[in-house]
Amino acid sequence: MRVVFTTWAWPTHLYALAPLAWACRAAGHEVLFASQPGLAGEIRRAGLTAARVGADVDTAGIVREYLLPTVPGAASPAKSGKPRAVRLLLEHAESMVDDLAELVRDWRADLVVYDPTALAGPLAAAAAGVPAVRHLYGADLLSRVSGVLAEAFAPLAARFGGLPFDAAGAATIDPVPASMQVPGEHRRLPVRYVPVNGPAKPPRGFRVGRDRPRVCVSWGHTIAKVDPRRFLVDRVVAATADLDVDVVLAVSAAQRPLLGPLPGHVHVLVDEPLQPILAGCDLLVGHGGASSLLTSLHEGVPVLLVPQLPDHAGHSARAGARGAGVVVGIADATADVLHDHIVRLIAPGTPQRTAAREVAAEMREQPSPSKVAAALETLTGPVLNHP
């Protein structure tokens, strides 16, 4: 079987698809990972074969337009009545779809596995007459706006002979446990969440043993690129000033200059994989990105989240509804408010800690990527018999 995996050029979206791509290749299938040029190096570092399609898009510039307001009651910069991410999804799809359709056809792919926001995937698959399978990276937030997406993507679909556009694909691979997922009618293939946070190496300067609570602070990659003023790590550090805790700041090399002088209870780890850090922590304080959220819950660690983008708010809301953490609006996230929540969440036996461990147990019960890779073969049917 020949499988094209695709997403647009954002590393965390690659990492969400990588375990299944590895599983397909380990099962003997041919795998290509197609994305815009800006992701090619990261694809190769993940041990996968990169195919460049389309051109890079100013993602950070588009995202900047729909940041959540920092003042209570203020309006978002976005003025359209449509979901604020539609422009982002369209620009990426328009960039990629022609090259991707040509790749899927010429490489004689049997299947396209696509990130739910990389909607060039189902268009290219339909043009080649092969199935497309959606692979979620978090809560299925777009399922509720399928009609809006069909309308928005109709002109693009018309370029391929007016093919019907289905953002959900033939099936949906879902790493999110049912107790945290958005209900939906799509055919779902559950898969065990495998934390991938970039090239892995043992964290340096990080003690496994400890004698007091440890708090991990991670603000992802997006927010600092979009608006460094919203990189709230200093506010979290201030919130822990009088607490008997260790704080680990997990930051990227690009974020390191944003940190000011730090007190002795704060330790900085740069470009280290998040999963082994969280395995030794009692709490994650973060931005609500799907990758860090699921990685934390994979380790049974509760979360304190301050989302600043609509999708981060959606993922955070699922964790809050499950009882695995607390969500604070950006306008309310003062050092004092964060301090009070941290005190409560690091205490032993909290309901949030119990819920996080229950979610971790649910994750372990999901089918492995290798089992899902085998299930994908049943979706391709006779198209496997290529000349």
Side-chain angles (χ1 to χ4, degrees), residues 205-219:
F206 182 74
R207 295 181 298 107
V208 175
R210 54 198 169 96
D211 54 11
R212 58 181 182 172
R214 179 177 290 155
V215 177
C216 175
V217 183
S218 174
W219 230 256

Side-chain angles (χ1 to χ4, degrees), residues 21-39:
W22 294 333
C24 286
R25 196 172 64 178
H29 303 304
E30 296 180 64
V31 172
L32 275 182
F33 206 114
S35 187
Q36 294 147 328
L39 197 64

